[in-house]
Amino acid sequence: MTAPHALITGASIAGLSAAWWLRTIGWGVTVVERASSFRGGGQNVDVRGVAREVLDRMDLTDAIRAKNTTETGTVIVDADDRVIAELPSDGPDGATAELEVLRGDFARAILDVLPAGVRFVYGESVTEVDEHRPDRVSVALGSGEHIEADLLVVAEGVRSATRDLLFAESEVDADPLGITMAFGTIPRTADDDDRWRWYNAVGGRQVHLRPDPYGTIRAILSYAGEDDLVGRDRDDALRVLRERYADAGWRAERVLDGFDSSDDVYIDELTQIRMPGWHRGRVCVIGDAAWCVTPMGGGGASLALTGGYVLAAFLSQIEGHPDRDRLDEALASFDAWMRPLVDEIQGIPRGMLKLAYPHTRLGLAARSVVMKVMTTPPLSHLTAKVTQVADTDRELPEVRERARGGA
């Protein structure tokens, strides 16, 4: 019997996790990625909660630990670089997690150990999907190639074009948080250390500096406001950021100067994605395309890794070839298992945004007092719970491996 075949769109953490686990349970797997080659780089992500067990089952924990960013803790500083508060980093799920890694390094670690037989198609995107046949889904690529599969897994990220092609606006709730973030890699200087340094300025502005394992610094400018910078000309976007941060103080000017010559500046306006259902027929949406929690919620990489595992686990319980009814049952089980994890992280109180991005000097002073109180005993243990995401008391569903077939 020919093995079932999955077509996955997107080759980052969610897509690669799904590819690893689907190939492990014997499915043929094709991965389509719009970038011309594997995308490395990126900012800090981490492995938290139940995702640590998934990583163990992939035998990847040591590999991820070896790629650690070298960050040892998280401090909030003032304009003179004095520490106002230190966020709890005890245990595996502190503000700086035990398994802290750059996104590209995480994805590369999975890519390097993919089971044999996974086919990659780079520099392509989906232009059309035919869902009318009950036994297969047919996907057309921009090149004109058509791929038939038993399951289409959409794992493209928060602004997934394939998701939006398939699901109506009423089925995808894109909720903007009103926060803009600019990321980039800048040179390291003598006053940098192994801590994540986090600075707040009036006007709802933040500056972040985080060490990486390559002798450079991952910098973030984050502010409450939207200037429609996504997709804008790079020079124009950097000009707007300079205007925003003209009087911010601390290391803001250094970051802006670094961004001028950085080759990996990325700007995003944070948007949570909510969908009432992550599957329909022979289509399933996972990762940020399905449930983007944004960096404000945290745990996105952990959910992406776990989602790939849970999807494959329930598919592995189908006996024989996945007909429409059995596939629908497996995908419904995937949805039911993942949703409590996602819902817990997505419930960001809007008051938290106001606390994180104060606009006035009074608000900034009040935030400093609150953070100092919340990060010292006896309340520090409550603050530590904020970063304990993607965790559950439920057992992971079991994966039933079978012989690998062809694609």
Side-chain angles (χ1 to χ4, degrees), residues 273-286:
I273 297 296
R274 294 180 175 85
M275 298 179 66
W278 296 321
H279 67 97
R280 183 186 65 217
R282 292 186 175 273
V283 176
C284 181
V285 190
I286 67 172

Side-chain angles (χ1 to χ4, degrees), residues 207-286:
V207 182
H208 301 260
L209 298 176
R210 308 186 72 171
D212 68 20
Y214 302 107
T216 49
I217 292 292
R218 306 291 159 144
I220 306 170
L221 299 177
S222 180
Y223 62 90
E226 294 175 314
D227 294 317
D228 296 323
L229 298 185
V230 176
R232 241 156 111 171
D233 173 77
R234 171 193 166 100
D235 291 341
D236 189 31
L238 291 179
R239 176 189 59 78
V240 173
L241 288 175
R242 279 198 177 273
E243 292 174 356
R244 276 274 185 181
Y245 280 83
D247 60 348
W250 193 55
R251 306 294 190 266
E253 188 173 352
R254 171 196 167 189
V255 172
L256 289 163
D257 289 345
F259 280 3
D260 282 342
S261 57
S262 175
D263 61 2
D264 66 349
V265 173
Y266 170 74
I267 300 176
D268 193 20
E269 291 176 350
L270 302 191
T271 302
Q272 285 192 337
I273 297 296
R274 294 180 175 85
M275 298 179 66
W278 296 321
H279 67 97
R280 183 186 65 217
R282 292 186 175 273
V283 176
C284 181
V285 190
I286 67 172

Side-chain angles (χ1 to χ4, degrees), residues 58-136:
M58 299 172 80
D59 200 22
L60 270 177
T61 300
D62 288 343
I64 295 302
R65 185 173 283 114
K67 295 177 180 290
N68 191 277
T69 61
T70 73
E71 185 176 289
T72 59
T74 306
V75 293
I76 298 173
V77 300
D78 64 15
D80 296 317
D81 207 35
R82 292 187 297 250
V83 174
I84 298 171
E86 181 170 1
L87 299 184
S89 290
D90 297 333
D93 290 337
T96 294
E98 177 186 357
L99 296 174
E100 193 86 27
V101 65
L102 298 178
R103 183 211 61 82
D105 288 348
F106 194 175
R108 169 62 75 178
I110 304 172
L111 180 69
D112 286 347
V113 296
L114 281 178
V118 177
R119 177 193 175 210
F120 282 85
V121 182
Y122 286 107
E124 281 284 10
S125 57
V126 173
T127 58
E128 187 178 351
V129 179
D130 182 357
E131 302 177 77
H132 293 104
R133 286 174 54 183
D135 60 330
R136 303 283 272 176

